[in-house]
Amino acid sequence: MPFHHNDHYHRLLLRHLPSACGTALDVGCGTGRFARRLARRGIEVHAVDPSAEAIAAARSASAGADGTTDALLPRYEHADVTTLQLPVGHYDFISCLASIHHMPFDTVATLRTALAPGGVLVILGCYPEQTPADWAWGLAASPVNAAARLAVAAAERLGGRRPPAVQAPVKEPAVPLRRIRREAAILLPGCTIRRLLFWRYLLVFRKDL
């Protein structure tokens, strides 16, 4: 599918960057597109993913023409964030793009601990359609999704671009949005959650100074 729902929301996520962001963690970075956008802003980015194939593709995409890499590009690590020892109070910004449903939701408590004071955690999450509200939003998204797919596919054909050979592993979400709201209120007090088109939600949590 040429139209990528997660990429569509990159700019929305970037609006939540703290004003003086020096360090970031991208959880489930896949092939590294969002991690590279963060790094281009001069941020020191630690990008992790449990897929060795995705990490290899991310490193390849970040490599220069001579095979070397720029110091400002992300530091990619093949790792499962649920078992990784993250530094306490270190990251100014933590992002999870369609990755939190690949792990227990209470992993967000570990990410909260890894945030620096004033740091921001953003989750672009997926949820299964189970309620009338879910189905209504899905119905509204379907024609927009179809039009976007056609437009992006046409642009890629005209530009001679091909979709990446490696895609991040996909898993169907299982936790309904109402339960996510309930658990997030306990684990991330003060967070906000809003529903987005394309079967996504946006969770934003800012750690107290």
Side-chain angles (χ1 to χ4, degrees):
M1 183 176 68
F3 173 57
H4 201 290
H5 298 135
N6 300 331
D7 293 355
H8 173 74
Y9 287 113
H10 281 186
R11 284 182 292 179
L12 174 62
L13 301 181
L14 290 171
R15 291 176 196 160
H16 295 282
L17 280 172
S19 56
C21 183
T23 55
L25 172 68
D26 190 26
V27 178
C29 65
T31 55
R33 294 187 69 175
F34 188 68
R36 289 191 291 277
R37 290 193 74 160
L38 290 172
R40 285 197 292 270
R41 291 172 172 250
I43 299 169
E44 180 185 322
V45 182
H46 181 194
V48 301
D49 198 283
S51 167
E53 187 179 26
I55 286 293
R59 287 174 176 154
S60 177
S62 295
D66 59 354
T68 61
T69 55
D70 191 296
L72 290 179
L73 289 173
R75 174 171 65 90
Y76 296 108
E77 182 175 4
H78 172 216
D80 183 342
V81 76
T82 62
T83 59
L84 196 60
Q85 293 296 314
L86 296 174
V88 174
H90 177 71
Y91 300 104
D92 298 314
F93 186 74
I94 299 179
S95 52
C96 303
L97 278 69
S99 60
I100 200 68
H101 67 282
H102 288 255
M103 61 196 81
F105 187 78
D106 61 10
T107 303
V108 299
T110 301
L111 302 181
R112 180 194 65 211
T113 302
L115 275 177
V120 176
L121 166 66
V122 294
I123 295 174
L124 182 67
C126 306
Y127 62 88
E129 292 180 303
Q130 293 187 353
T131 69
D134 296 339
W135 298 323
W137 277 81
L139 186 63
S142 293
V144 182
N145 184 54
R149 289 179 64 179
L150 289 172
V152 173
E156 289 189 339
R157 282 197 300 270
L158 290 172
R161 291 180 296 168
R162 295 181 179 180
V166 176
Q167 299 286 350
V170 174
K171 178 183 178 181
E172 290 297 320
V175 181
L177 188 55
R178 60 180 179 274
R179 180 176 157 193
I180 291 168
R181 293 184 187 276
R182 187 165 61 245
E183 294 188 12
I186 298 171
L187 297 170
L188 301 170
C191 72
T192 61
I193 298 178
R194 65 184 178 101
R195 196 191 298 259
L196 304 173
L197 278 179
F198 307 131
W199 307 275
R200 299 289 191 272
Y201 66 87
L202 175 65
L203 183 155
V204 180
F205 169 76
R206 183 179 295 273
K207 190 170 184 178
D208 291 338
L209 291 169

